[in-house]
Amino acid sequence: MAHERFLYESISQQLRNQIRSGSYRAGERLPSVRRLSQVFGVSINTVVQCFRQLEIDGIIDIRPRSGVFVASASAVPPQPATVTHFPSLPVEVSLSEDILHYMEPHMEEHLVHLGIALPAREIMPIERILRSLREVTRKHALQAWDYMHPNGHDAFTHQLARRSLNYPVPITQEDLIITNGCMEAIELALRTVTRRGDTVAVETPTYYGALVALEVMQRKALEIPTHYRDGMCLYTLEQAFKHGRVSACLVSCNAQNPLGFTMSVERKLKLVELATRYSVPLIENDIWGDTVYSGNVLPAKAYDEAGMVIYCNSFSKSLMPGMRLGWVAPGRFHHRLRELKQINSITTASAPQLLMARLMESGFYAQHVQQLRRQLAVQTRETAAAVLEAFPAGTRIDTPTGGCVLWVGLPNRIDSRVLFDRALTNGIHIFPGNVFSAGPRHFNYLRLNAGTPINARLHQAINQLGEMARAF
């Protein structure tokens, strides 16, 4: 196995050098798998592994039935890609106790909060939100008091549907079901399209909440290598689809947590095309989508002509976590998901829907999101600079495109679980990287929340973390 790994990495490096030197130019087709296996005297499988690695790194594009081509903007990444190459085998998830242990300190007010991914209170319009809530509940007292229709308040779902008017395939009001946050949407989606014992393809690293959902529902995870800039390795994902190894795929295409990447339009189109061609439901978690720093970024759902994407979202990260207001657009799976919603929680609270309908209708939410994006872009940049200055040589950070988390790669000798304990003793809450994978990976990574503007207390905490990391 070690010899085979050395071979494909050696061949990968040779092809990188050829592309860098201009021997193969952007858009040019590379020799076939069979031809390269003859040239290098290795098995076809070794060349396939080589191509898989180069695709993850954004060096090549694999086009089914057309061949392998140099990517249009190919370049060796300026820093090591956070991708682990490993055999793709389904695994049972067992993380809930660890995650609860790492989450609990968030409730302690005296700590410096670098653990839970959330924009700080001071950059959110809390007073405006609460004032609007008082107004709408006073004006619509009976509606706020009563049960809401399971499909949601008409004014609210109307505003949600309007957000998709620029999608190639818009979402209609009739396709929407309102949920108690994004996690209920994801849970309902998983229960709709999978059964106990089924396997779900996931990114690695991925949001730990998704992994806990798989654990609780007794689903297995098939971890797909994921690039810090481009997202899931679509070649590996297609192999899983083609051989019927998964019942669904759970993915975040915009400002993914924890890596922070946003997939290109081309890769989103390919992802939806694969899901459609192989009839594998795609569960899209877009909870950070509104925070992408620049551009008019659309979710994969925007390109879903066949209804194979179950789109999940909420306002927990972009406005107010305490509202627990989310929604799901289930596509062709609408009927079954609505049945499960009614069994699960019947309906979603009325007052938050009245509030969000008002904030969206007035244009306030759109203005807030624009300001939030600018603020988070500054904070992630400044926090990353502080971390790199304080931490030991060899530390690296993958630049996020949205959200407020930093995926920090530590020198190999540092175990982020041990760093968590030492940091907590010193009044600092962080999140170790191992819980972002179902398998034994990412121990030398940690995720830091950059949701708070840099101040003296935060800067001191980062310096303390750096000192602890250097002490290993």
Side-chain angles (χ1 to χ4, degrees):
M1 178 65 70
H3 176 66
E4 183 177 319
R5 177 182 175 89
F6 173 80
L7 280 175
Y8 83 72
E9 289 185 345
S10 174
I11 296 169
S12 295
Q13 190 58 49
Q14 290 185 58
L15 287 174
R16 289 172 195 266
N17 293 339
Q18 292 287 320
I19 293 169
R20 184 188 294 116
S21 67
S23 297
Y24 291 100
R25 298 180 180 179
E28 187 173 351
R29 182 174 178 172
L30 293 176
S32 68
V33 170
R34 187 174 300 278
R35 176 58 181 155
L36 286 178
S37 71
Q38 295 171 348
V39 169
F40 291 107
V42 296
S43 69
I44 288 177
N45 184 58
T46 297
V47 178
V48 168
Q49 287 180 301
C50 163
F51 279 166
R52 180 186 303 171
Q53 180 172 334
L54 291 174
E55 185 192 32
I56 291 172
D57 292 343
I59 307 298
I60 63 172
D61 291 325
I62 299 176
R63 305 174 191 172
R65 294 186 290 276
S66 296
V68 179
F69 298 80
V70 178
S72 58
S74 64
V76 176
Q79 49 195 357
T82 45
V83 173
T84 303
H85 298 279
F86 48 87
S88 296
L89 299 173
V91 295
E92 293 183 356
V93 183
S94 181
L95 290 170
S96 57
E97 290 187 11
D98 285 346
I99 290 170
L100 181 61
H101 170 66
Y102 294 135
M103 286 182 68
E104 282 182 332
H106 178 69
M107 303 309 296
E108 300 180 27
E109 290 289 338
H110 70 281
L111 297 177
V112 177
H113 295 284
L114 292 169
I116 300 299
L118 196 65
R121 300 168 187 169
E122 55 260 44
I123 67 171
M124 304 301 277
I126 295 177
E127 287 303 319
R128 169 63 187 272
I129 295 169
L130 295 179
R131 185 170 68 251
S132 297
L133 179 60
R134 289 191 292 268
E135 292 173 357
V136 297
T137 52
R138 184 172 60 249
K139 185 176 180 179
H140 305 284
L142 291 179
Q143 285 182 297
W145 173 83
D146 203 354
Y147 284 124
M148 187 64 66
H149 191 282
N151 280 27
H153 189 273
D154 185 68
F156 177 47
T157 56
H158 174 69
Q159 291 298 324
L160 289 178
R162 285 188 61 182
R163 284 162 52 96
S164 71
L165 289 179
N166 63 329
Y167 290 10
V169 185
I171 297 172
T172 66
Q173 272 189 270
E174 292 73 24
D175 191 33
L176 291 164
I177 297 172
I178 307 307
T179 62
N180 298 298
C182 192
M183 278 309 304
E184 187 188 37
I186 292 172
E187 176 199 352
L188 291 172
L190 286 168
R191 290 171 60 193
T192 297
V193 298
T194 66
R195 298 179 179 179
R196 181 181 301 179
D198 282 355
T199 297
V200 178
V202 297
E203 300 146 328
T204 187
T206 192
Y207 171 51
Y208 56 77
L211 295 174
V212 171
L214 295 178
E215 177 182 352
V216 171
M217 288 186 279
Q218 297 181 294
R219 273 64 164 174
K220 296 178 182 178
L222 180 67
E223 299 190 284
I224 306 297
T226 305
H227 186 264
Y228 76 94
R229 185 187 62 225
D230 298 322
M232 271 187 171
C233 173
L234 298 183
Y235 173 82
T236 306
L237 186 65
E238 182 174 6
Q239 299 311 302
F241 286 2
K242 182 184 297 185
H243 297 291
R245 302 180 64 194
V246 297
S247 300
C249 175
L250 180 54
V251 64
S252 293
C253 298
N254 297 325
Q256 189 257 14
N257 175 15
L259 292 180
F261 65 79
T262 293
M263 292 179 70
S264 66
V265 172
E266 292 75 19
R267 293 180 70 81
K268 288 173 184 172
L269 284 167
K270 185 174 181 180
L271 181 63
V272 174
E273 187 273 326
L274 290 175
T276 303
R277 190 194 329 161
Y278 293 102
S279 295
V280 177
L282 197 67
I283 302 171
E284 183 178 16
N285 175 5
D286 197 35
I287 194 168
W288 290 102
D290 278 355
T291 69
V292 175
Y293 305 146
S294 62
N296 183 24
V297 175
L298 304 184
K301 179 66 176 178
Y303 312 102
D304 178 31
E305 296 182 0
M308 288 300 298
V309 180
I310 305 177
Y311 179 76
C312 306
N313 206 337
S314 88
F315 294 105
S316 294
K317 303 299 186 181
S318 60
L319 191 66
M320 187 175 175
M323 278 198 304
R324 306 306 305 142
L325 183 60
W327 67 96
V328 56
R332 66 168 66 179
F333 309 101
H334 185 279
H335 179 73
R336 178 57 178 161
L337 194 143
R338 180 179 169 180
E339 288 181 334
L340 292 173
K341 164 64 181 177
Q342 291 181 289
I343 295 171
N344 202 55
S345 57
I346 303 176
T347 185
T348 299
S350 306
Q353 297 185 56
L354 296 169
L355 170 64
M356 280 310 305
R358 172 61 183 150
L359 294 177
M360 296 170 75
E361 182 183 23
S362 67
F364 171 77
Y365 180 71
Q367 294 174 1
H368 159 70
V369 163
Q370 291 299 322
Q371 182 176 344
L372 180 65
R373 290 171 180 170
R374 291 192 293 268
Q375 183 68 37
L376 293 182
V378 170
Q379 290 174 197
T380 53
R381 185 170 62 248
E382 291 180 348
T383 305
V387 170
L388 291 174
E389 182 179 356
F391 277 56
T395 300
R396 63 181 186 270
I397 298 177
D398 302 328
T399 305
T401 61
C404 63
V405 298
L406 299 173
W407 186 241
V408 182
L410 304 169
N412 288 329
R413 68 181 185 278
I414 301 176
D415 189 329
S416 60
R417 297 169 298 179
V418 177
L419 187 60
F420 169 87
D421 292 330
R422 295 180 184 178
L424 196 59
T425 301
N426 286 271
I428 306 169
H429 181 215
I430 61 175
F431 236 90
N434 63 291
V435 294
F436 295 87
S437 171
R441 284 177 273 279
H442 313 309
F443 292 111
N444 64 317
Y445 284 86
L446 62 90
R447 191 197 68 180
L448 294 180
N449 178 41
T452 303
I454 287 283
N455 53 37
R457 183 171 183 240
L458 186 57
H459 210 285
Q460 181 182 8
I462 291 172
N463 286 337
Q464 283 183 276
L465 278 175
E467 291 174 9
M468 295 176 215
R470 289 197 300 270
F472 274 81

